[in-house]
Amino acid sequence: MLWSHPERWWWLGLAPLLGALLAAALVRHRRHLAHFAAEPLARELARTVDWRARWLKACCLLCAICCLLLALIGPQWGFHWEPVRRRGVDLMVAIDVSNSMLAEDITPNRLSRAKWAVQELLPLLRGDRLGLVAFAGSSFVQCPLTNDYGAVALTLEDLSTGTIPKGGTALASAIRASVKAFDAGTEESRALIIITDGEDHEGDALAAANDAANTGVKIFCIGMGTPEGELIPAGPAQPGAGFMKDREGRTVKSRLNEELLQRVALATGGSYVRATPTAFGLDVIYRERIANMKTHEVEGARQKQYEPRFQWPLALAWLLLIMEALIADRRRGRA
């Protein structure tokens, strides 16, 4: 059994006090009668009073009040499953997990900072469905659209540069995979956030952005890195190498392609923000742009709804009050 208002339990603490007051009233009544007249006149005057009935009436009244208090506390037992319906937008977050995201021009590195920013976004969401896409040389939907932000957080923790085996950065593939992950009929409530350094080895990201715009998707880009570029730590793929090198043995430097990201965002009516060590910009994009988009009703996970049972103590309280009214406290048939 559960209680809808457990904070009201202290009300039942008033029942003993009320019982004491009722008992004191009955005792006081008998004492006043004894002071009014001496024996045997007092007994004669009160011979029609049924003191047992009066005590029974007081007990009925006290029990009725306790039942009313229980009804106010709200007993619940039994349950049914009910879908939770909320209003929000559908938001896909595409995170670049290519090796270039290991660059440390943003502390501790681009990928780790991107994951932290998405984690910080989760408490801001109110009814929105969120999904994750990881991309490098190809793309994969790591987490479909869901209201279960805990599942999103767990999926986010597992993202690494090894999530997508194919190297490189295919920005167009990320856009197309994200667009396919949206449900039909939500064209005015779709947003895609792309977190990347802007490298695109396929070269058709702008065409993919135009196709996304035709389906109602607004793309918001967050640029990771600097235009000057930063060396990429070799990592476990090249142990002892220091920094990554190309096939000719030259050290690879990853540069932020702001122009491409700006054009992709502009093509869909979105916006572009460059992440810095002190301000990532994801929360700003959500509050100022995405949170103001048109919402739609979405059905989330089913929720257990307990059945209210306040009617039972309430009915018992009415029954006790009726009994109290019907009990006669005067003896009949005696003159």
Side-chain angles (χ1 to χ4, degrees):
M1 181 184 294
L2 299 177
W3 303 89
S4 56
H5 299 286
E7 71 279 1
R8 297 176 181 173
W9 267 110
W10 69 271
W11 291 0
L12 284 178
L14 300 176
L17 176 62
L18 180 60
L21 291 175
L22 289 173
L26 290 173
V27 172
R28 186 180 180 187
H29 188 191
R30 298 196 70 165
R31 287 178 178 174
H32 285 179
L33 183 61
H35 293 160
F36 178 73
E39 294 288 351
L41 179 59
R43 186 183 303 110
E44 180 65 21
L45 292 174
R47 63 189 176 86
T48 60
V49 178
D50 190 341
W51 292 104
R52 290 184 178 179
R54 289 197 171 184
W55 279 102
L56 183 59
K57 286 169 68 72
C59 289
C60 287
L61 179 60
L62 180 62
C63 290
I65 293 175
C66 290
C67 289
L68 287 173
L69 292 177
L70 284 175
L72 291 174
I73 296 173
Q76 298 175 323
W77 65 82
F79 63 88
H80 65 276
W81 291 99
E82 186 175 285
V84 179
R85 295 189 175 274
R86 301 174 180 173
R87 297 197 64 85
V89 301
D90 285 347
L91 174 60
M92 294 297 299
V93 178
I95 300 180
D96 186 350
V97 293
S98 62
N99 289 327
S100 62
M101 292 292 285
L102 294 176
E104 298 175 355
D105 44 5
I106 296 180
T107 306
N109 60 51
R110 298 174 183 177
L111 181 57
S112 295
R113 185 64 184 91
K115 291 166 62 175
W116 293 350
V118 178
Q119 287 276 16
E120 294 168 354
L121 173 68
L122 297 180
L124 302 179
L125 304 180
R126 295 292 182 269
D128 305 310
R129 293 195 301 173
L130 180 65
L132 290 178
V133 170
F135 71 96
S138 60
S139 303
F140 185 76
V141 179
Q142 294 293 116
C143 180
L145 289 168
T146 180
N147 294 105
D148 187 351
Y149 303 142
V152 175
L154 290 175
T155 304
L156 190 64
E157 289 179 4
D158 293 335
L159 288 183
S160 68
T161 54
T163 301
I164 304 296
K166 186 177 179 180
T169 305
L171 188 55
S173 174
I175 296 174
R176 293 192 176 98
S178 300
V179 171
K180 289 181 181 178
F182 288 110
D183 295 336
T186 61
E187 286 77 7
E188 296 181 341
S189 307
R190 299 176 174 181
L192 168 60
I193 296 176
I194 302 177
I195 304 176
T196 179
D197 50 32
E199 293 185 354
D200 182 27
H201 298 146
E202 289 186 352
D204 57 349
L206 191 56
N210 289 325
D211 293 338
N214 293 333
T215 64
V217 177
K218 292 185 181 299
I219 299 179
F220 302 89
C221 297
I222 297 181
M224 306 292 293
T226 61
E228 297 76 22
E230 180 65 25
L231 299 178
I232 305 172
Q238 298 178 344
F243 296 98
M244 291 190 66
K245 298 179 181 180
D246 58 19
R247 293 179 180 178
E248 287 74 29
R250 293 172 297 187
T251 304
V252 177
K253 180 177 285 190
S254 173
R255 293 178 174 83
L256 172 62
N257 189 349
E258 281 192 301
E259 181 181 356
L260 175 61
L261 296 180
Q262 290 171 346
R263 293 175 65 188
V264 167
L266 183 62
T268 63
S271 58
Y272 166 79
V273 174
R274 183 202 291 187
T276 67
T278 57
F280 194 86
L282 183 55
D283 56 339
V284 176
I285 288 178
Y286 179 80
R287 288 193 181 98
E288 296 184 359
R289 297 295 306 275
I290 298 176
N292 296 321
M293 292 176 60
K294 185 176 180 180
T295 60
H296 68 100
E297 189 176 78
V298 296
E299 181 176 316
R302 294 195 306 165
Q303 184 175 351
K304 186 182 289 186
Q305 294 289 338
Y306 286 90
E307 302 288 350
R309 304 294 184 181
F310 67 90
Q311 305 92 335
W312 294 99
L314 184 62
L316 183 57
W318 281 112
L319 180 61
L320 289 168
L321 289 174
I322 292 173
M323 289 177 57
E324 190 273 341
L326 293 178
I327 295 174
D329 61 353
R330 294 278 181 175
R331 297 186 179 95
R332 298 180 181 179
R334 294 185 181 183

